[in-house]
Amino acid sequence: MSPVSSTQSVPEAGAIPAHIAIIMDGNGRWANKRHLPRAAGHAKGVDRVEEIVQACIKRGVTHLTLFAFSSENWRRPADEVSLLMRLFMAVLERQIERMHSNNIRLRIIGDITQFEPRLRDLIEKAESRTAGNTRFTLTVAANYGGRWDILNAVNRLINAHPELAQQAEPVSEAALQPYLAMHDAPEPDLFIRTGGEQRISNFLLWQLAYTELYFTEVFWPDFDTKQLDLAIASYQQRERRFGRTSAQVNDKC
Ligand code: IPE
Ligand code: IPE
Ligand code: MG
């Protein structure tokens, strides 16, 4: 099935979001509050992922995209960065067979060329092991930045079609789309950011154009199935208009 841009089709009101994108924020503050090292917050945060994946599958969500490490997170202290890399590797090593047996496809988006070879190797193996799975797509954004994604797409498009740079016609959205990191997924319907900050922090800048935004004070390590249901319930109250009027959206003919 070819992906449908949510900016072109209006989903049914009250529908379960097909694609949820989450900025998993607040691990450090969760730990600070308990006088624990930040590492404890990250470890607890990893544990939450499986619960949320299972809850999404049960509710009929087909795509979940998680922001795990931004292109700006290299600015953190070196020991925190290396801890996050080790956690990522441990998850890939431990969870991949379980994901595979659950028919989950794992994708990693971001500039993985910056990662050490062992991590790159694990990413490639995990992606190819689960490439044929169809029940659910879990995308993890690692060394990802929305600006990087758009520039990378433009550069790849021009490399593949150098003639485009010469032609008088402007490049279309449809021409760029296949080169974006999320080219084979529908655009996110619901964006969740935990941890209280109300910003995008260079996540999916292109794809979030018409996504419903939900911000919660709850720290990621405390974000459980009940919290997910609150976010989905909030989404179901929204009226998605995609530029149209309310009357147009309600009058389906
Ligand atoms: C999110 O939690 C995890 C990553 C960015 C890797 P933080 O580590 O940003 O936690 P806070 O925002 O400092 O509480
Ligand atoms: C965003 O969280 C990135 C991830 C959750 C991976 P940050 O904690 O890095 O965001 P800022 O710096 O507060 O905007
Ligand atoms: Mg943070």
Side-chain angles (χ1 to χ4, degrees), residues 24-30 38 42 68-69 73 76 80 84:
M24 309 181 290
D25 197 19
N27 292 351
R29 282 164 288 159
W30 181 93
R38 291 178 60 86
H42 293 313
F69 190 86
N73 286 145
R76 294 192 177 198
E80 180 162 342
L84 290 167

Side-chain angles (χ1 to χ4, degrees), residues 34-76:
R34 287 162 177 78
H35 308 289
L36 294 169
R38 291 178 60 86
H42 293 313
K44 192 81 185 164
V46 168
D47 291 344
R48 274 294 169 211
V49 171
E50 197 183 346
E51 175 184 346
I52 296 303
V53 167
Q54 291 304 333
C56 283
I57 292 173
K58 282 206 186 89
R59 282 152 186 73
V61 175
T62 57
H63 291 74
L64 176 66
T65 301
L66 300 174
F67 205 4
F69 190 86
S70 77
S71 43
E72 289 72 30
N73 286 145
W74 297 108
R75 297 170 184 161
R76 294 192 177 198

Side-chain angles (χ1 to χ4, degrees), residues 110-160:
D111 183 5
I112 70 161
T113 63
Q114 302 306 307
F115 292 145
E116 61 170 88
R118 197 162 88 81
L119 176 52
R120 286 208 314 259
D121 193 47
L122 280 170
I123 289 172
E124 275 151 28
K125 284 201 178 104
E127 286 193 319
S128 60
R129 179 86 174 118
T130 62
N133 295 342
T134 52
R135 186 180 183 203
F136 187 77
T137 301
L138 173 63
T139 302
V140 175
N143 193 24
Y144 178 87
R147 291 181 180 177
W148 166 83
D149 191 1
I150 295 167
L151 283 177
N152 187 47
V154 169
N155 286 319
R156 287 176 55 216
L157 171 67
I158 289 173
N159 271 336

Side-chain angles (χ1 to χ4, degrees), residues 6-26:
S6 61
T7 52
Q8 283 166 29
S9 70
V10 181
E12 287 300 312
I16 288 287
H19 183 176
I20 301 181
I22 307 182
I23 297 188
M24 309 181 290
D25 197 19

